Amino acid sequence: PLVSWARRCVEETHTNIDIPVIDVTIESDFPEGAVVTGVFQVADNPDFTNAVEIPITSKEIDSNAATKADDEGEDAITAPEPETPEVTPAAPRKLQGVIEGNLWEDAFVTFYKYNPAPHDNYYRYILYTQIGSQVTELSGDYTDGYKIMVTPVDQQFPISDEYVIFGKYIGGGDLEHAVTMKHSDTHKYDDPNYSYVVEVAANQVNDFTWEVAGADENDNNVYGVVDPAATTGQLRLITDGGVPGQIALEGPWTIEVNMLKKTYSIKLAAKSLYVYGPAGDISKSMQLATDNFTNYYGFGCIKESFRLSTDNKLDSGLKYGAGEAEGTLSVGDKDVNAIKVSGAKANTLFYINADIVKMTYDVTKITTLGVVGDFTKWADDKDVALKANSARNKYTGEVTVDAAGGFKFRCNGSWDINLGGSLDNLTFGGDNLQFPEAGTYSITLDLSTLPYTATVVKK
C-alpha cells in the first residue's frame, strides 16, 4: 500500500488524554486487518541516552478532513510502492497517530520528578505497518530528534510551601508565635518532609507538646496526632480530633512530618556523625560535629570511599551514603551506597561538610596541617608542619618561639579551615591560642574524638 505521514505539532495542552503526534494518510487500498503502529521516544537530552518508549496507536479520522501536515504544507514521507498488479485505489484514509498523555507525564516524572516547572523534552518516532504477526518498518529508522518545551500537569497536592511548629516550649506556645520548620531546596512535591530539632530539658518531659500548621492558602490547617505517646504515626487535623504530640524524654529530638502522606516521626537527633569506610572499623571512626543538628562538619579519614552514621555501630543508627547526583546524600541502612572520593588513597584526611536536611555534602582534601602564629608573623608560607600518625587522626611536632604570643592550627596553608578556641575544645574559626612564654614546645593535635583537643608542653 502507498502510505504517507507527517509530524504533527504537539505543542498543545493535553492532560491525561491521547496526544496526536503524527498524521498518516493511506493513499490506496490497504489490506484488511492491517494497522499502522509505532514507537514514540521521549528523553531529557538530544542523544536519547535515557529515552522512555511510548507506543503509538492510530485512530481513523474524517477522510475528507485535511491533516495537520496538509494544513502546514509539510513534505510527506512516502514509502515506495511495491510491484503489484494495478488496482483501482480506494478513497484515501486518514489516520492519526496518538500516544497516551499520562505515559508522557510518567516519563517527565522519571526525568524531573514532580516539580511542575517547564523543561525541554526531546522526541522522535518510528512507524510500522502490522498485518497479524508480520511487522514492516515504514520510516526506515527513528526520525531525527525534535525539541519541545513541556510543562507537566500540576497535581495540585494541598501542600504548603512552608510549615511552622509550636508547643508549650516551642515558639511561645501558640500559632501566632510559631517557628518555621526546615525544608530542603527540593520542590515540595519531590520532598514533602519538614523538620524541626528541639532540645527537651529534664523539667519539660512531662508536658512537652507540639503541633504543626501550614503557612499559606494551600494548607493552612493545624495538625496534631492520633496517639500522643507514639513516636511515629498519622497526623490528624485538630478540628477532626487530633491532639498535640508529646516528647517524654530529655535530649535533642528531630520532629519530621511528611505533608504528602500526612505522617510524622520523632527520633533522637544525632549529636555527631561518624565517618567510616565500607570495610573499616566504625567504632574507631572520626566524628563530624554540629551546632544545629542539620549541618555536620569536621575531619574524616577516607580510603577511596566513605559513609556517615549516626551511631558508631554497623547494625544501628541511620547511615548516609551517595545520592543519585554527585554531592548529594541518600539515607538508609549499612548497605547504603558508599560515597566515592577522588584523590583518596590509603588513609587520606579530608574536611567534610554534610547537610542532612538538604541531603548534600562536600569534601576538601587536607594536604598539610600545621601551626602558624605570632612567631611566624602569620605569614602564608611559614606554617610549621605537623606529622600525622598512621591513622591520620593525631598530629605532632615542635615549635620554637622567641616570646609569648598567639597561634592557631590551619590546613592547606589557608584560613578556610582553621582551629582555635581552647586547647580542650578546639573549634573551627575559634579565637587564637596562646604560647605563654618563649621556648620550644612539643605539640600534639588530637582529631580522634570530639571535641578536638591539643596539648602544648614546653620542653
Side-chain angles (χ1 to χ4, degrees):
L2 183 64
V3 180
S4 63
W5 64 89
R7 178 172 63 99
R8 286 186 60 88
C9 176
V10 294
E11 297 181 14
E12 301 169 9
T13 300
H14 299 279
T15 307
N16 292 333
I17 60 175
D18 288 340
I19 300 176
V21 294
I22 195 167
D23 290 319
V24 180
T25 302
I26 301 173
E27 300 288 358
S28 62
D29 192 17
F30 200 55
E32 185 176 354
V35 294
V36 175
T37 62
V39 176
F40 183 89
Q41 280 193 343
V42 62
D44 62 353
N45 66 89
D47 297 324
F48 293 87
T49 53
N50 61 344
V52 173
E53 295 188 346
I54 304 173
I56 297 175
T57 57
S58 58
K59 294 182 177 181
E60 191 149 359
I61 58 177
D62 184 356
S63 61
N64 294 318
T67 66
K68 186 79 172 181
D70 294 335
D71 293 342
E72 295 179 353
E74 293 193 30
D75 294 333
I77 305 174
T78 303
E81 183 177 5
E83 296 180 2
T84 55
E86 184 175 347
V87 296
T88 302
R93 292 168 57 198
K94 295 185 181 294
L95 305 176
Q96 195 174 76
V98 300
I99 64 172
E100 293 184 36
N102 62 313
L103 294 182
W104 197 337
E105 183 80 18
D106 291 344
F108 190 97
V109 170
T110 299
F111 305 142
Y112 304 110
K113 297 187 178 180
Y114 292 98
N115 187 343
H119 288 279
D120 283 337
N121 279 202
Y122 298 83
Y123 70 94
R124 63 187 182 181
Y125 52 85
I126 186 170
L127 295 179
Y128 307 94
T129 56
Q130 183 172 348
I131 305 174
S133 60
Q134 182 178 354
V135 178
T136 305
E137 287 186 3
L138 283 176
S139 53
D141 199 353
Y142 279 101
T143 60
D144 292 337
Y146 304 98
K147 183 172 76 170
I148 184 173
M149 179 71 74
V150 174
T151 301
V153 175
D154 189 341
Q155 301 297 326
Q156 297 295 328
F157 296 128
I159 301 177
S160 176
D161 290 330
E162 185 177 278
Y163 282 86
V164 296
I165 189 170
F166 62 97
K168 183 170 183 180
Y169 299 103
I170 306 174
D174 56 32
L175 181 57
E176 183 179 356
H177 299 94
V179 293
T180 301
M181 302 185 78
K182 292 181 179 179
H183 186 257
S184 68
D185 295 333
T186 307
H187 190 273
K188 61 185 180 181
Y189 291 174
D190 297 327
D191 179 12
N193 297 300
Y194 297 76
S195 64
Y196 186 74
V197 176
V198 294
E199 186 81 39
V200 181
N203 63 345
Q204 298 173 342
V205 297
N206 293 322
D207 55 356
F208 191 98
T209 62
W210 61 272
E211 298 173 61
V212 170
D216 60 39
E217 65 276 5
N218 292 318
D219 183 11
N220 55 13
N221 296 298
V222 178
Y223 296 87
V225 302
V226 177
D227 179 3
T231 57
T232 62
Q234 204 72 30
L235 295 173
R236 177 173 289 180
L237 293 173
I238 294 295
T239 55
D240 289 341
V243 296
Q246 298 178 4
I247 299 179
L249 293 172
E250 65 177 297
W253 295 90
T254 297
I255 302 171
E256 184 172 273
V257 294
N258 182 311
M259 297 313 298
L260 188 58
K261 297 179 179 178
K262 298 298 187 290
T263 58
Y264 73 93
S265 66
I266 302 172
K267 55 192 177 185
L268 195 64
K271 295 184 178 181
S272 66
L273 290 182
Y274 294 84
V275 183
Y276 72 102
D281 184 351
I282 189 172
S283 65
K284 299 179 181 178
S285 297
M286 297 169 73
Q287 295 169 265
L288 306 184
T290 184
D291 50 16
N292 59 10
F293 302 101
T294 298
N295 298 97
Y296 291 80
Y297 50 85
F299 296 106
C301 197
I302 301 173
K303 179 182 179 181
E304 296 181 357
S305 61
F306 72 100
R307 298 180 179 94
L308 303 174
S309 175
T310 58
D311 198 350
N312 66 341
K313 298 179 178 64
L314 282 177
D315 296 324
S316 61
L318 291 175
K319 313 301 181 188
Y320 294 90
E324 293 182 1
E326 186 175 356
T328 64
L329 295 170
S330 63
V331 63
D333 57 20
K334 63 181 181 180
D335 294 324
V336 69
N337 290 332
I339 301 169
K340 295 182 179 180
V341 180
S342 176
K345 299 179 181 179
N347 286 328
T348 306
L349 189 69
F350 281 82
Y351 176 82
I352 303 170
N353 188 1
D355 187 320
I356 62 171
V357 172
K358 295 181 179 179
M359 295 296 281
T360 58
Y361 75 92
D362 60 70
V363 297
T364 301
K365 184 176 182 179
I366 304 303
T367 56
T368 62
L369 199 162
V371 182
V372 64
D374 288 328
F375 70 100
T376 66
K377 303 187 184 304
W378 302 98
D380 288 343
D381 58 349
K382 299 296 183 180
D383 295 33
V384 175
L386 300 179
K387 184 178 180 180
N389 64 355
S390 60
R392 298 292 193 276
N393 58 13
K394 292 184 180 181
Y395 290 75
T396 57
E398 287 188 0
V399 173
T400 299
V401 299
D402 295 333
F407 74 96
K408 297 187 78 172
F409 300 99
R410 70 175 179 177
C411 300
N412 300 343
S414 167
W415 291 111
D416 293 341
I417 304 171
N418 69 86
L419 291 168
S422 63
L423 292 176
D424 60 354
N425 186 10
L426 295 170
T427 58
F428 291 99
D431 293 336
N432 292 348
L433 303 162
Q434 296 293 320
F435 289 119
E437 59 186 9
T440 297
Y441 292 86
S442 176
I443 297 177
T444 299
L445 172 63
D446 188 348
L447 305 178
S448 62
T449 59
L450 290 176
Y452 300 145
T453 60
T455 58
V456 178
V457 179
K458 187 177 180 181
K459 299 184 70 174

